[in-house]
Amino acid sequence: MKRIKVMPKKAKRDTAALTKRVLLISVCILLGLVMILGATLGIVSGVRRARALVYFDGIDISEGEARYLVSYYKAQYMANLSRGGVSVSDTPEFWSSKVLGDSTYLDYLRISTESYLRQLTVANKIFDKNTSLTGKDRDNLKIATEEILSYRAQGSRSTFGELCKKYGFDYSDFVSATEKIYKGWSAKTKIFGDKGENMSLFPDYCEEFLEYYTHVDLLFIRTEEVFVYDESGNRVVDDDGSYKTRPLTAEEVAEREVRLEAARRAINGINAGSVTPERFYELLAQYGEGDKSMDESGYYFHRESEYTKEFSEVFDEIVLASYELEEGMCCEIECDIGRCFIRRVPVTDGAYLKTGAVKDCFSDFYSLTSDLVYQRLIDEDTKLVELRDIWSVIDLQAIPYNTDFVARL
């Protein structure tokens, strides 16, 4: 039988010790490399931060990026002035011309540009804090920027740099600034959803925004025409899709006067405190000639909501009066169909979650809420953004407006 050689115990101990020393040395080398890399990255980050023209909580805008963003924003600013009827030209004469008092168009351009850079910086911070670029995002950014490189500079970065020398940025600045622009306009949708649907996860914000709505009950009394009903008691639809109406008879005109007087006594009494609000709802059930499906919930108005805008196209005077009315009070408004008696009431908790006809009032509730919340997040930190002293090297008048080197995102 072949004998198996057994290593002496001392040799085993020496080998084990050697192995431990090798491992220890390897770990030390690795840690040393990590520390060197970390220090190097820290130095690079510190240098970049020190050279930043705009800075906020880890987000910085370099001089090259700032020059690109200035040229990009200047084009938008000039386009807005033009849409407003101003004859715009990117010339010293135009920018030095006066707007109000001693303020020039250049003064307003600087104020607006600085505000844009502050808000963009904060938006990038919000983006990085709450989400990140996906692989698809990075691919789309790469495609969009390389498309401009190919189309404008035949794929040459050096040619791109020569073409953009008059602006003061190169291809790297263009790429990184474009990423910041993308993060700036996509942060809200990334966090809250395309139509703000993720706001359902933030009920406290939703209840707070609901308080910005005006909640009213409306008692309509028609004084010119009335709806035509079929044998089943349903309103008859006309050829154009609207409800068919007919003129009031003499008897009906007289009866409407009785209704109007009853409603007036009720709202005057409610306002004076001598009549209980329940009387308003008794008359609403008895005499109301508006949308019956809204009688139980009432109407919710908000200046930016689509429902309110559509309602205002027909009854603008009612919406305006509702805004001005004190909560708990009533008023009478003349409208196209006769008279409308309004009572303003507190909003109902969770009204935006209700089903039925009232949900139409909140068709864009989450979208509007996300707009408000996102703008609040922007506003909270905008004042903390640093515009460094070296920002003064940027001559807004000298940097041309830029529409040629803009990625299609």
Side-chain angles (χ1 to χ4, degrees):
M1 178 184 294
K2 188 176 181 181
R3 297 182 63 184
I4 300 174
K5 293 183 179 180
V6 179
M7 187 181 292
K9 290 183 178 179
K10 182 176 184 305
K12 287 183 179 179
R13 288 196 296 270
D14 291 344
T15 301
L18 178 60
T19 302
K20 288 181 180 178
R21 283 198 298 275
V22 171
L23 288 173
L24 181 59
I25 291 170
S26 298
V27 170
C28 289
I29 292 173
L30 179 61
L31 288 174
L33 290 172
V34 170
M35 291 175 67
I36 292 170
L37 178 61
T40 302
L41 292 175
I43 291 171
V44 171
S45 176
V47 170
R48 178 176 172 82
R49 183 182 302 176
R51 292 178 177 175
L53 272 67
V54 184
Y55 179 79
F56 170 67
D57 197 13
I59 306 297
D60 57 76
I61 295 178
S62 67
E63 180 177 341
E65 291 171 334
R67 290 182 179 278
Y68 176 81
L69 293 169
V70 165
S71 70
Y72 167 82
Y73 182 73
K74 189 177 188 180
Q76 297 184 50
Y77 186 82
M78 291 175 66
N80 285 333
L81 286 178
S82 183
R83 282 192 289 270
V86 178
S87 181
V88 185
S89 61
D90 194 8
T91 61
E93 292 75 22
F94 171 77
W95 293 115
S96 63
S97 58
K98 300 293 178 60
V99 184
L100 290 173
D102 291 329
S103 299
T104 65
Y105 278 109
L106 183 61
D107 294 328
Y108 281 98
L109 174 63
R110 179 168 292 279
I111 292 170
S112 187
T113 302
E114 291 180 356
S115 176
Y116 167 69
L117 291 175
R118 289 178 187 276
Q119 292 191 47
L120 181 65
T121 304
V122 174
N124 271 254
K125 180 62 182 180
I126 293 171
F127 184 100
D128 289 349
K129 184 178 180 180
N130 293 280
T131 185
S132 60
L133 292 173
T134 64
K136 185 177 180 181
D137 290 331
R138 294 190 183 281
D139 289 343
N140 289 339
L141 282 165
K142 190 171 187 287
I143 291 170
T145 50
E146 289 184 351
E147 179 184 50
I148 298 298
L149 179 66
S150 176
Y151 180 67
R152 296 293 182 186
Q154 297 76 52
S156 169
R157 296 192 178 202
S158 59
T159 301
F160 187 99
E162 285 299 317
L163 292 171
C164 295
K165 188 178 291 184
K166 63 181 179 180
Y167 302 105
F169 62 82
D170 59 21
Y171 185 69
S172 294
D173 299 321
F174 164 65
V175 170
S176 56
T178 298
E179 180 178 307
K180 284 182 167 64
I181 291 170
Y182 175 78
K183 285 182 176 181
W185 67 253
S186 68
K188 184 170 77 71
T189 56
K190 285 269 190 179
I191 299 168
F192 298 122
D194 289 339
K195 296 182 179 179
E197 59 272 14
N198 293 345
M199 284 308 307
S200 61
L201 303 174
F202 304 92
D204 290 344
Y205 281 130
C206 290
E207 289 298 331
E208 179 184 348
F209 184 64
L210 183 61
E211 294 295 329
Y212 289 93
Y213 277 73
T214 296
H215 184 197
V216 292
D217 293 308
L218 304 179
L219 165 58
F220 286 96
I221 296 178
R222 305 179 73 92
T223 59
E224 302 294 332
E225 297 178 323
V226 290
F227 292 113
V228 176
Y229 293 88
D230 60 22
E231 294 178 354
S232 301
N234 299 315
R235 292 177 183 177
V236 176
V237 179
D238 216 335
D239 294 337
D240 61 359
S242 62
Y243 289 119
K244 193 171 184 178
T245 60
R246 63 168 177 79
L248 290 169
T249 65
E251 291 80 5
E252 288 171 332
V253 169
E255 194 272 338
R256 288 304 188 282
E257 287 299 324
V258 174
R259 295 185 182 188
L260 290 172
E261 286 306 314
R264 286 170 183 144
R265 286 196 301 272
I267 67 168
N268 289 335
I270 292 170
N271 289 342
S274 58
V275 174
T276 62
E278 284 72 20
R279 179 57 180 158
F280 183 93
Y281 300 101
E282 291 173 357
L283 294 174
L284 178 61
Q286 185 178 1
Y287 296 145
E289 295 179 289
D291 186 346
K292 288 294 184 182
S293 66
M294 299 294 288
D295 284 355
E296 182 178 350
S297 63
Y299 298 75
Y300 286 82
F301 298 137
H302 185 282
R303 284 180 170 82
E304 298 302 320
S305 81
E306 287 303 316
Y307 177 85
T308 302
K309 290 176 182 177
E310 290 178 7
F311 193 94
S312 295
E313 290 177 3
V314 183
F315 299 115
D316 185 52
E317 64 281 358
I318 293 175
V319 174
L320 293 176
S322 298
Y323 291 149
E324 296 174 0
L325 198 58
E326 275 186 50
E327 204 169 273
M329 303 298 283
C330 305
C331 70
E332 177 184 354
I333 294 294
E334 183 178 1
C335 60
D336 286 346
I337 64 173
R339 295 282 174 168
C340 179
F341 296 87
I342 309 172
R343 180 168 187 260
R344 183 166 179 176
V345 294
V347 298
T348 302
D349 292 345
Y352 60 93
L353 297 171
K354 302 292 185 183
T355 57
V358 71
K359 70 180 181 181
D360 291 339
C361 297
F362 300 107
S363 60
D364 51 2
F365 177 79
Y366 285 140
S367 177
L368 292 174
T369 305
S370 67
D371 288 342
L372 177 75
V373 173
Y374 183 68
Q375 191 58 52
R376 181 182 296 173
L377 293 174
I378 293 289
D379 292 342
E380 282 176 355
D381 288 333
T382 296
K383 57 184 175 294
L384 302 178
V385 176
E386 297 178 54
L387 288 180
R388 301 284 178 76
D389 290 341
I390 52 175
W391 165 246
S392 60
V393 304
I394 302 295
D395 185 344
L396 299 184
Q397 180 174 294
I399 297 176
Y401 72 90
N402 168 29
T403 56
D404 291 334
F405 301 92
V406 177
R408 296 183 298 178
L409 299 174

